[in-house]
Amino acid sequence: MADRYIEVSLVKRAVTCTAQLLDDRAPITCAAVWDALPLAGDVYHAKYARNEIYALFPPFATNEPPLENPTVTPIPGDLCYFAFSGAELGTKAYGYDREVRAGTTLVDLALFYERNNLLLNGDVGWVPGIVWGQVVEGLDAMAQACNDLWRSGAEGETLSFRRA
C-alpha cells in the first residue's frame, strides 16, 4: 500500500501540519479514519494528558477498532484514537458544553504536540490510545498554536482532519 497522508489544522489560527498514516501498525483504525474524512469539530485542550488537543465525533467506523498499536505515553506528533462511552465523559469536570449521555459513544481524535504525556485519568485510570498517525511536517508551528490555544482559550477554534 502506498503511504497515505492527512492534514491536521487549527482552522481559526490558520495552522496546518501533515501526518502520515501508520497503516502498517494500525490498519483497521487507519482505514476507519481515512474512510470518514474530512472530519472537523470543536477543539479541546487536554486537562490530564498534558500536551494534547482533540475533537470529539460520533462513531464513524462500522465496528470500533481493536486496541492496535496502543500507548499510554504518546510522543510529539502522535495522532491517537480513543472511543469513550458517555458515562466516561459525562461529568462536568471535563468542561464540555454539551450533554454527553450514558450509552452514547464518542470518538476522540487527538494530536500530541510536545513531550511528557501520560494517559492516566484520575477517574478511570490508564487510558490507552491507538496511535494511527505521525506528524511528518509542520509540528513546530502546530505546537506554537497549541500552546496559544492552551493560554488564550479554545473557544471558536476548530480541529480539522482531511486527506492531503
Side-chain angles (χ1 to χ4, degrees), residues 39-40 58 67 79 99 121 124 126 132-133 135 139-140 151 154-155:
L39 293 165
L67 190 57
L79 297 179
E99 182 180 349
N121 180 308
V124 297
W126 296 105
W132 59 275
V135 174
L139 184 59
D140 289 343
R151 294 181 52 84
E155 188 171 348

Side-chain angles (χ1 to χ4, degrees), residues 11-155:
V11 176
K12 185 176 172 184
R13 287 170 171 79
V15 177
T16 298
C17 60
T18 302
Q20 181 177 355
L21 272 63
L22 301 178
D23 286 301
D24 58 330
R25 296 180 188 166
I28 297 168
T29 306
C30 289
V33 173
W34 185 260
D35 291 346
L37 296 176
L39 293 165
D42 292 341
V43 68
Y44 297 93
H45 194 288
K47 287 183 175 184
Y48 302 107
R50 291 187 129 178
N51 304 298
E52 171 195 6
I53 61 169
Y54 62 96
L56 300 173
F57 302 98
F60 48 77
T62 305
N63 297 306
E64 280 305 313
L67 190 57
E68 51 185 2
N69 199 30
T71 189
V72 293
T73 55
I75 63 173
D78 276 354
L79 297 179
C80 288
Y81 179 108
F82 304 89
F84 295 109
S85 73
E88 292 173 296
L89 300 179
T91 68
K92 297 251 185 226
Y94 292 99
Y96 299 119
D97 58 357
R98 61 181 179 235
E99 182 180 349
V100 183
R101 287 182 239 123
T104 303
T105 298
L106 290 174
V107 172
D108 169 333
L109 294 183
L111 165 66
F112 290 84
Y113 63 89
E114 189 48 80
R115 299 174 42 143
N116 299 321
N117 303 296
L118 186 61
L119 301 179
L120 181 60
N121 180 308
D123 295 334
V124 297
W126 296 105
V127 183
I130 300 168
V131 182
W132 59 275
Q134 179 66 47
V135 174
V136 294
E137 183 180 315
L139 184 59
D140 289 343
M142 181 60 76
Q144 288 178 348
C146 292
N147 277 316
D148 178 64
L149 185 126
W150 171 249
R151 294 181 52 84
S152 302
E155 188 171 348

